[in-house]
Amino acid sequence: MASVPGILTEWPWKPLGSLKYVILAPWIIHSTWLFVANDAKERDVSYFLMLGVVLWRIIHNQIWISLSRYRTAKGNGRILDRGLEFEQVDRENNWDDQILFNALLFYTGSRYLPGGQHAPFWRAEGLLLTIVLHAGPVEFLYYWFHRALHHHYLYSRYQSHHHSSIVTQPITSVIHPFAEHMVYSALFFIPILATILTRTTSMASFAGYVTYIDFMNNMGHCNFELIPNWLFSLFPPLKYFMYTPSYHSLHHTQFRTNYSLFMPIYDYIYETMDKSSDALYETSLKREEETPDVLHLTHLTTPESIYHLPLGFASLASRPHTSKWYLRLMWPVTLWSMILTWIYGRTFVVERQRFDNLRLQTWAIPKYNLQYYLQWQNEAINSLIEEAIIQAEEKGVKVLCLGLLNQGEELNRYGGLYVHRHPHLKIRVVDGSSLAVAITLNTIPKGTTQVLLRGNLTKVAYAVAFALCQKGIQVTILHHDEYLKLTKSLSGMESGLVLAKSYAHKIWLVGDGLSEEEQLRAPKGTLFVPFSQFAPKKLRKDCFYHYTPAMKTPTSLENVHTCENWLPRRVMSAWRIAGIVHALEGRKEHECGYNMSNIDNVWQATLQHGFQPLMVSTSHTKN
């Protein structure tokens, strides 16, 4: 929001929220009726072609969002070495409003302007007229309008909203108050109206011009330099007619320079070009891919999780992972993405952060959660993880955190398989079990004397049971085979274990394998405390469910603009935090396989580095 919002700041359809696309219904209904009611000679398919352009604009913007976040995560070619935050993501969440607004103008013009109907696919003179009018009146008028917006009166009421994003991303280009977009639309419609009124319009000139505007807008705000130097070397005058991302980035950091739209020629003419433009361009091009100090390996969970990745839908990635009804309508895209990940089969970068002096990065293994439970997939999964570890070793990464990849003893012996195969690794491999145990223990309410342990018996489950027995807290087991395994493992502590058939405990420690039927047998008011990475399905409105082992991150952790799985904003899982703390503490040992660090020491070190426990349980929630 602008510092002093002016009139016509909000979009008219803001009260509609996510239902705002309903404003296109009259266009779609009317276009369909005209197509059905008229005979073949009178049918005008240009209405439907324009709807295709609207859909293409949405897809085009999303491609730029994903590309920008991927390149920013890798670090090469970046311009400003800063990150996004949730505030900016929320502020820029209405980037599609300008597409809806333009769509209404497209429909109105094609319906009521003479020459707007039955547009041919191609007319060369219309395309030439569009180019000339954009390079002349549009660029010239935009330059002076933009300079006027930087007058303190208009800036505080309108333009300051756009400049709230110093570190830009592609969709920052269209984040303006409604009143500004009215003027921008009037400017960009000059070539379109001219071709309509001169009867030289065509779908090619219309779609091409709209795509050009979106492309240049997105490119100028993507925060990584992608225009190669050889392009300007081959044709030096090009620098007057095409800006670069670094050129426009200076406008967001210096404010009083580089006002031009897409053609810097007017900044040269009126002497408003930033003198550091060329230097920043060269510096940005030379920036190489960043090598992280701490690498977090993760993987896809549900098929829909692709949309929640930092490279996916910005609005979904900035909120805890939940299933949305409209994602079911996208099943063809979801299916195709699964096929692509199956074929591509390579680890890819999804996120880059910074904490103190540590550079953090997240890589995703292109395997879904279901595949980790298929034994015939074990070899392929382990191969991908091992390749990632070797690649990280070659890059000089200090600590690698296995994250979600630490799925059990059968898969990779809690990460110990890789250390065994490569005994001379310099990189430290961390599975995060010690911190997960520490968080689970500190989540149990004080004064608790008895707990029920349910779920698969993992490394964390054994360690939690052992620590509770040491503290004199009775651990109840429901299944005889699990009781025997724990008794054998907890030699000397078996007196703290109780085999029972009663579900009448108010504190349940739960992991993967907890059934919905068992949840229903818990007494009213039961507190479920997960010790696994995946939370149980929240079915009981009369019970309480704590988050999976996780902690709040310090405010100094930079570039946190996405949520981790089902966790709230700025909350990070124990398995991920453990790798960061391991690096901060400078520990030289591996924490994987069947090795565990001192739980109390890990807990205290984590607190000292600014991570805070989650004190509030999620209650009465149903997915």
Side-chain angles (χ1 to χ4, degrees), residues 11-23:
W11 293 86
W13 46 79
K14 184 179 179 181
L16 294 177
S18 59
L19 298 177
K20 60 187 177 183
Y21 278 84
V22 75
I23 66 174

Side-chain angles (χ1 to χ4, degrees), residues 315-589:
S315 59
L316 293 183
S318 66
R319 292 177 175 83
H321 190 323
T322 55
S323 181
K324 302 292 184 180
W325 65 267
Y326 53 81
L327 294 182
R328 295 172 190 154
L329 303 178
M330 298 180 64
W331 68 264
V333 179
T334 307
L335 179 62
W336 179 241
S337 70
M338 293 182 68
I339 295 172
L340 281 180
T341 54
W342 195 291
I343 297 172
Y344 182 66
R346 292 181 58 189
T347 303
F348 55 95
V349 183
V350 295
E351 197 172 21
R352 178 174 65 93
Q353 296 168 331
R354 190 176 295 275
F355 181 49
D356 289 346
N357 295 321
L358 291 181
R359 293 164 297 183
L360 316 176
Q361 214 170 72
T362 301
W363 294 2
I365 300 289
K367 295 291 183 179
Y368 291 88
N369 193 49
L370 175 64
Q371 294 172 276
Y372 284 78
Y373 297 98
L374 302 175
Q375 193 169 6
W376 60 274
Q377 281 281 296
N378 285 3
E379 185 177 348
I381 292 171
N382 282 327
S383 178
L384 284 171
I385 299 172
E386 192 168 0
E387 288 175 8
I389 293 174
I390 294 172
Q391 185 180 355
E393 171 85 354
E394 293 172 351
K395 287 178 175 289
V397 178
K398 298 176 182 176
V399 175
L400 182 140
C401 178
L402 287 174
L404 289 175
L405 304 175
N406 176 27
Q407 292 281 347
E409 182 177 8
E410 297 80 9
L411 178 63
N412 52 44
R413 300 200 295 271
Y414 305 109
L417 174 67
Y418 314 117
V419 175
H420 176 75
R421 288 180 178 176
H422 305 278
H424 301 296
L425 283 175
K426 294 181 181 178
I427 189 173
R428 303 295 93 179
V429 180
V430 177
D431 72 354
S433 297
S434 302
L435 183 57
V437 172
I439 293 175
T440 303
L441 294 175
N442 283 277
T443 300
I444 299 173
K446 292 183 178 181
T448 299
T449 58
Q450 191 178 54
V451 299
L452 176 67
L453 183 68
R454 271 302 300 125
N456 299 336
L457 292 181
T458 61
K459 177 182 176 180
V460 172
Y462 281 110
V464 167
F466 181 79
L468 290 175
C469 289
Q470 277 189 319
K471 293 182 176 183
I473 298 176
Q474 193 177 71
V475 180
T476 302
I477 312 298
L478 297 177
H479 300 288
H480 188 261
D481 58 334
E482 293 178 357
Y483 175 77
L484 292 178
K485 289 179 181 179
L486 282 168
T487 301
K488 183 179 179 180
S489 175
L490 275 61
S491 179
M493 291 290 175
E494 60 270 15
S495 60
L497 299 175
V498 176
L499 178 63
K501 295 295 183 181
S502 173
Y503 288 84
H505 297 76
K506 283 299 188 81
I507 307 294
W508 285 37
L509 304 185
V510 296
D512 298 334
L514 175 71
S515 67
E516 297 179 14
E517 181 183 356
E518 286 179 310
Q519 287 189 68
L520 294 175
R521 299 180 69 176
K524 181 180 178 180
T526 295
L527 171 63
F528 292 89
V529 180
F531 57 78
S532 62
Q533 300 183 38
F534 296 97
K537 292 183 178 180
K538 301 176 178 62
L539 300 176
R540 297 283 300 273
K541 292 184 178 181
D542 58 350
C543 292
F544 299 87
Y545 295 81
H546 204 279
Y547 296 111
T548 55
M551 302 182 77
K552 294 179 182 178
T553 60
T555 55
S556 56
L557 182 62
E558 300 175 14
N559 198 31
V560 182
H561 59 273
T562 57
C563 287
E564 184 179 340
N565 299 315
W566 300 271
L567 297 173
R569 290 181 169 184
R570 295 201 69 90
V571 171
M572 188 176 286
S573 69
W575 293 268
R576 191 172 178 182
I577 296 172
I580 299 173
V581 174
H582 204 91
L584 290 170
E585 293 290 298
R587 294 172 183 161
K588 302 301 180 184
E589 72 279 2

Side-chain angles (χ1 to χ4, degrees), residues 149 205 210 233 347 380 396 447 522 531:
L149 283 173
S205 64
V210 171
S233 300
T347 303
F531 57 78

Side-chain angles (χ1 to χ4, degrees), residues 116-350:
Q117 300 82 35
H118 298 281
F121 177 77
W122 173 265
R123 289 200 66 169
E125 58 268 45
L127 185 62
L128 180 61
L129 181 60
T130 299
I131 294 172
V132 171
L133 289 176
H134 175 83
V138 174
E139 289 278 349
F140 177 78
L141 292 173
Y142 178 92
Y143 174 84
W144 286 107
F145 176 63
H146 195 185
R147 284 193 66 170
L149 283 173
H150 279 259
H151 183 275
H152 63 85
Y153 181 85
L154 292 178
Y155 185 85
S156 61
R157 286 162 176 78
Y158 298 103
Q159 185 70 354
S160 60
H161 180 64
H162 178 69
H163 278 273
S164 297
S165 302
I166 297 176
V167 181
T168 60
Q169 57 177 336
I171 52 176
T172 304
S173 61
V174 293
I175 303 304
H176 302 280
F178 177 58
E180 273 192 58
H181 271 291
M182 294 175 66
V183 178
Y184 295 144
S185 296
L187 289 175
F188 293 140
F189 269 66
I190 290 175
I192 297 174
L193 288 173
T195 57
I196 290 176
L197 297 177
T198 57
R199 309 279 179 165
T200 59
T201 189
S202 67
M203 290 306 301
S205 64
F206 167 72
Y209 183 52
V210 171
T211 300
Y212 166 76
I213 292 171
D214 287 343
F215 181 90
M216 296 300 289
N217 256 333
N218 286 320
M219 183 189 75
H221 293 80
C222 67
N223 196 36
F224 67 90
E225 190 54 75
L226 76 165
I227 305 299
N229 204 0
W230 60 260
L231 197 62
F232 296 104
S233 300
L234 286 177
F235 188 64
L238 186 63
K239 71 176 184 178
Y240 299 108
F241 301 101
M242 186 179 76
Y243 75 169
T244 65
S246 56
Y247 184 92
H248 188 71
S249 177
L250 282 168
H251 176 69
H252 278 261
T253 55
Q254 304 302 323
F255 299 103
R256 299 291 183 180
T257 59
N258 296 6
Y259 291 107
S260 291
L261 179 55
F262 308 140
M263 299 180 178
I265 187 172
Y266 294 103
D267 281 313
Y268 281 94
I269 292 174
Y270 298 109
E271 299 181 347
T272 54
M273 188 198 73
D274 197 292
K275 294 180 180 179
S276 62
S277 297
D278 292 339
L280 181 61
Y281 170 72
E282 296 290 343
T283 303
S284 301
L285 278 179
K286 292 177 182 177
R287 281 194 171 163
E288 298 180 353
E289 185 175 332
E290 186 175 88
T291 298
D293 299 303
V294 180
L295 176 60
H296 171 233
L297 280 183
T298 186
H299 67 77
L300 300 167
T301 51
T302 65
E304 292 180 351
S305 64
I306 58 167
Y307 306 118
H308 294 262
L309 285 174
L311 309 181
F313 294 167
S315 59
L316 293 183
S318 66
R319 292 177 175 83
H321 190 323
T322 55
S323 181
K324 302 292 184 180
W325 65 267
Y326 53 81
L327 294 182
R328 295 172 190 154
L329 303 178
M330 298 180 64
W331 68 264
V333 179
T334 307
L335 179 62
W336 179 241
S337 70
M338 293 182 68
I339 295 172
L340 281 180
T341 54
W342 195 291
I343 297 172
Y344 182 66
R346 292 181 58 189
T347 303
F348 55 95
V349 183
V350 295

